[in-house]
Amino acid sequence: MSKSVIDLFCGAGGLSEGFRQVGYSVLAGNDIDEAAGKTFDRMHPEARFLSGPIENLSAKQFLSAAGLKKSELDVLIGGPPCQGFSVYNHQRGLHDERSSLYLEYLRIVEGLNPKWVVLENVTGMQSAGNGAAIQAIIKGLEDLGYRVEAKTLKAEEYGIPQERRRILFVGNRLGLPVHWPMPTHGPGLLPFVTVRDAIGDLPELENGGTYEGGKYGSRAKGDFQKYVREGSKGVTNHGAPRLGEINMQRLEHIPQGGSWRDIPFDLLPKGMKRAKRSDHTKRYGRLRWEGLSSTILTKCDIHWGAYIHPEQDRSISVREAARFQSFPDWFEFSGSRTEQYVQVGNAVPPLLGRKIAETIIAIESGEEIPSEPISLSA
C-alpha cells in the first residue's frame, strides 16, 4: 500500500506532485483559491479537493475525505499563504492575518496526528517579528510530539532552473532524525539547469501571443527537457500578456542580462527616472540563456522583475514560468491567465517536493541520504 499525503493550502499542487513522483498517494487537498482548486482537482484525480477557508474545515472532514482514521496519515504537507512574511510586502509582520494561518496548520496537525509534517514558507519569516513565527511553528509542533528542523533551501541546488529561497520545516513523531536532501547541482556538482535548458525547446511567441496544444519548437535537449516533456501531448498554457507600445520600445534596448538601466532615460517610467543606478537591479530584466531564472512570483510583470524572454521581445509565458518551477508539461493550469500565473508563482517546485519526499523515505528505511543526482527520466 502506497504512503498517503494530505496537502493544506495546496494551490495547484506543486508539493503534492513532488511527493506523487516518488510513489505517495495524494488523498486530499484544500485551498481557498477556486481556480487553483480546479487545477488541483484535474491534475490530482485520485485526491478529494475541499474548497474554502481552512478555518471552516475540521480535521474529521479531512480524514473522511481521505478515508483514513486519526494517526494513519503518513505525511501532512502544505504552505500557508506567505504574503504576510514576504520581502515583497513592506508592511510584513505577525500582525498580518495571513501570517497566522500557520495556527490553522497546527490545528489540523493535532486532529490528524500524521507521522510526518512538511511545511513550506518564504524566508521573510526569518525577519518578520525577529523570527517569532519560526519559533512559534517549531514550538507548536514540538508541543504536539514532533521532532522538527527548519532550514532554508536553494531551489537551484536541486536541479530547478530558478533562484529561489524557501524555508522548510520537516518533522516526525516517530523518534527518527530529520535530515535534508543533499544538493545535487552547483560548484563541484552537476551544473545548474539554465534558462536554455529549461525553455529552449518551446515555440516562439509574439508579444501577447498564445500557443496551445501544438507541437514543441524542437526536440528535447538534456535531462530537464526530457523530464518535463514525459507524458505530455503538446504545449499548453504557453501564452503571455500583451505589452503596450512604450514597453515594447523599452525592450529594444535591453540585452540579455540587462535591466532598466539599459533603457534610455527619456523612455523610463516616471518613478524610475528618480531611482539610483544601484536600485531595483531586476526590474525590466532580460533573462540570460546561460543563467538561472529569477524567482517566479505570482505576477511575472516586467516592471517588477527579470521576466523578459532572452531573445523574444515579450514577457515569459505561463508555461515558461511553470518550467522554471519544474512542473511537467502535462500539468495544465486552469483559470484566467492572471490566475494561472498566481498558481505557478505560489507553488512549491515539484522537484523540491520530490527531494524532500525521497529524503523522508530514506530516513524511514534507515538508508543513507541520497547524494547522487536523481534520474529525472525515471
Side-chain angles (χ1 to χ4, degrees):
M1 182 178 172
S2 61
K3 292 183 178 291
S4 55
V5 167
I6 290 177
D7 193 348
L8 306 184
F9 312 100
C10 62
L15 191 50
S16 287
E17 171 57 22
F19 272 75
R20 185 168 62 180
Q21 286 182 11
V22 292
Y24 281 84
S25 291
V26 183
L27 302 181
N30 159 256
D31 205 281
I32 196 172
D33 183 328
E34 288 186 17
K38 287 178 183 174
T39 300
F40 183 89
D41 228 6
R42 289 180 59 222
M43 297 298 105
H44 300 82
E46 73 285 7
R48 172 113 178 266
F49 179 73
L50 303 180
S51 180
I54 194 168
E55 299 93 321
N56 297 344
L57 294 169
S58 67
K60 283 186 178 179
Q61 285 173 287
F62 283 103
L63 290 172
S64 175
L68 296 173
K69 295 176 183 173
K70 185 174 180 178
S71 306
E72 287 183 342
L73 178 66
D74 287 295
V75 192
L76 181 68
I77 62 178
C82 55
Q83 290 90 340
F85 300 124
S86 174
V87 295
Y88 296 95
N89 173 13
H90 299 294
Q91 288 80 42
R92 69 184 187 272
L94 295 175
H95 62 275
D96 190 314
E97 63 183 20
R98 295 166 299 185
S99 303
S100 60
L101 283 170
Y102 72 86
L103 296 171
E104 296 296 325
Y105 184 96
L106 293 174
R107 176 177 66 85
I108 301 299
V109 170
E110 184 174 16
L112 299 184
N113 196 35
K115 298 179 180 75
W116 287 84
V117 291
V118 176
L119 189 151
E120 178 262 6
N121 218 302
V122 292
T123 56
M125 289 184 94
Q126 293 165 319
S127 52
N130 292 318
I134 293 175
Q135 297 310 313
I137 290 170
I138 291 174
K139 184 178 186 305
L141 288 169
E142 287 177 345
D143 288 348
L144 294 172
Y146 290 84
R147 178 177 182 172
V148 190
E149 299 284 345
K151 185 179 176 69
T152 297
L153 299 184
K154 299 177 179 180
E156 63 269 29
E157 293 185 344
Y158 301 98
I160 296 152
Q162 175 194 173
E163 292 178 356
R164 193 178 187 90
R165 310 282 181 274
R166 288 296 184 267
I167 188 165
L168 270 293
F169 300 80
V170 177
N172 68 77
R173 58 170 176 78
L174 307 175
L176 294 171
V178 174
H179 297 300
W180 298 98
M182 297 287 288
T184 53
H185 293 67
L189 303 168
L190 289 175
F192 289 129
V193 180
T194 66
V195 168
R196 188 189 302 278
D197 296 332
I199 66 169
D201 61 323
L202 290 172
E204 284 192 27
L205 274 185
E206 296 289 324
N207 173 40
T210 299
Y211 185 96
E212 283 285 347
K215 294 181 180 179
Y216 290 91
S218 66
R219 294 177 63 179
K221 299 183 185 76
D223 287 344
F224 187 85
Q225 288 179 20
K226 289 173 186 172
Y227 152 70
V228 290
R229 285 168 64 157
E230 187 175 353
S232 170
K233 295 176 181 175
V235 182
T236 60
N237 298 126
H238 191 35
R242 179 173 294 281
L243 301 175
E245 180 59 32
I246 185 68
N247 271 330
M248 293 302 288
Q249 290 176 33
R250 291 165 180 156
L251 263 57
E252 290 176 15
H253 300 278
I254 305 169
Q256 281 191 44
S259 70
W260 70 274
R261 288 168 292 187
D262 297 292
I263 300 171
F265 184 82
D266 62 316
L267 285 177
L268 285 172
K270 270 187 184 176
M272 302 196 76
K273 288 180 178 177
R274 299 189 297 271
K276 294 178 183 174
R277 303 286 291 173
S278 57
D279 289 347
H280 317 300
T281 54
K282 297 282 190 184
R283 286 190 174 189
Y284 286 91
R286 191 185 286 274
L287 296 170
R288 288 190 311 110
W289 277 127
E290 306 313 324
L292 290 162
S293 161
S294 56
T295 305
I296 298 299
L297 303 175
T298 54
K299 283 184 181 180
C300 290
D301 185 335
I302 66 170
H303 183 73
W304 296 107
Y307 302 118
I308 302 170
H309 188 278
E311 289 180 359
Q312 300 161 38
D313 283 344
R314 61 173 176 83
S315 55
I316 62 170
S317 71
V318 173
R319 178 53 56 195
E320 287 163 340
R323 286 274 189 99
F324 294 141
Q325 282 277 59
S326 75
F327 275 98
D329 285 355
W330 58 259
F331 201 106
E332 193 171 343
F333 298 89
S334 300
S336 69
R337 186 177 293 154
T338 298
E339 290 167 332
Q340 292 168 15
Y341 277 116
V342 169
Q343 293 168 50
V344 174
N346 276 334
V348 178
L351 285 185
L352 189 58
R354 175 173 173 164
K355 294 300 291 186
I356 296 292
E358 285 184 322
T359 305
I360 288 174
I361 290 170
I363 293 168
E364 286 188 326
S365 61
E367 297 173 15
E368 284 189 35
I369 304 307
S371 58
E372 289 300 310
I374 57 176
S375 171
L376 294 180
S377 55

